[in-house]
Amino acid sequence: MTQTDADAKPDREPKRRTGPVTFTKQVVGELRKVRWPTRRELVTYTIVVLVFVLIVLGYVSLLDWGFGEAVTWLYGTFGAPQGAPQG
């Protein structure tokens, strides 16, 4: 298959870097467009995140405890035979 002029990508000049002053102006302009949460929304979101973190912490802790107990049981059951030298 041959490439037509419509398929060819135009030659682009490399983009020039933005100076620090222009960059700062653009950042401030974008921050003005942001919809900032109200105090009530912020408190609500914070509480939701903390509750979720506590739930995940409890879940992971339970898994950790369960796997620890399972490994302890396995080593107790299938560990070194009685009377074997340990060291």
Side-chain angles (χ1 to χ4, degrees):
M1 204 188 305
T2 60
Q3 185 177 13
T4 63
D5 289 340
D7 295 336
K9 292 183 179 179
D11 293 330
R12 293 185 187 177
E13 295 180 20
K15 291 186 176 182
R16 295 180 51 161
R17 293 186 64 166
T18 304
V21 173
T22 305
F23 175 76
T24 305
K25 286 180 182 178
Q26 289 175 349
V27 168
V28 170
E30 289 298 320
L31 286 175
R32 286 193 176 131
K33 297 178 189 177
V34 173
R35 182 200 168 276
W36 297 97
T38 63
R39 183 173 189 85
R40 184 175 181 171
E41 289 172 333
L42 188 63
V43 169
T44 302
Y45 298 155
T46 302
I47 291 171
V48 168
V49 168
L50 290 176
V51 168
F52 180 75
V53 166
L54 288 174
I55 290 170
V56 171
L57 178 108
Y59 178 70
V60 170
S61 296
L62 187 64
L63 284 176
D64 180 49
W65 177 81
F67 283 124
E69 289 294 315
V71 168
T72 302
W73 177 80
L74 282 172
Y75 278 121
T77 304
F78 301 109
Q82 296 291 337
Q86 296 179 359

